[in-house]
Amino acid sequence: MTPSLKPVEWVGSSLKDLKEFPEAVRQDIGYALYLAQCGDKHPAAKPLKGFKGSGVLEVVENFDGDTYRTVYTVKLAGVLYVLHAFQKKSKQGISTPKPDMDLIEARLNLAQQHYSENHSS
């Protein structure tokens, strides 16, 4: 029996940015997003620090010495919103840089607005 898949909504430039990742990274992240569509969670998907209890997760993939991250939310029932996809440039620390956190927060607000206008009854 095929699971019913949640539709994916790409916020901002997240799809365009993801398409620029190396093929192996795109495949791994694509599989993680597919599992999220099915209502499951990829082992590499972890809650994003700074968004306590909001259902915001990130998938981190390392490839050829670089780190790639994709952030999504499952907070909005029945829809998967991909908020941000980026290559982490900083070599210091593992935390997500503030400009990226601000962008994720802004896109989460956009996703919530889109959801209330298009998916809530």
Side-chain angles (χ1 to χ4, degrees):
M1 183 170 173
T2 305
S4 95
L5 297 178
K6 296 178 185 177
V8 177
E9 295 284 352
W10 300 89
V11 183
S13 62
S14 57
L15 178 59
K16 178 178 105 34
D17 297 337
L18 180 64
K19 285 182 174 181
E20 293 175 6
F21 289 1
E23 176 68 24
V25 174
R26 286 197 318 265
Q27 286 182 1
D28 289 344
I29 290 173
Y31 181 63
L33 294 175
Y34 168 75
L35 289 177
Q37 282 183 278
C38 296
D40 206 352
K41 192 175 117 189
H42 190 278
K46 308 279 187 245
L48 180 63
K49 288 178 176 51
F51 288 88
K52 292 182 177 70
S54 64
V56 176
L57 300 143
E58 75 172 334
V59 179
V60 179
E61 290 293 332
N62 295 308
F63 179 80
D64 202 22
D66 293 318
T67 300
Y68 299 87
R69 296 181 177 196
T70 300
V71 178
Y72 65 93
T73 185
V74 293
K75 176 182 180 179
L76 305 165
V79 184
L80 176 69
Y81 282 89
V82 181
L83 304 174
H84 192 25
F86 62 106
Q87 179 181 352
K88 186 169 181 289
K89 302 286 188 192
S90 170
K91 299 297 180 199
Q92 289 184 298
I94 59 169
S95 64
T96 304
K98 183 168 176 14
D100 289 301
M101 291 297 283
D102 292 344
L103 182 61
I104 292 163
E105 188 170 354
R107 288 183 176 177
L108 179 59
N109 290 333
L110 285 172
Q112 290 168 330
Q113 180 181 346
H114 180 273
Y115 183 83
S116 68
E117 292 171 0
N118 296 281
H119 296 284
S120 61
S121 29

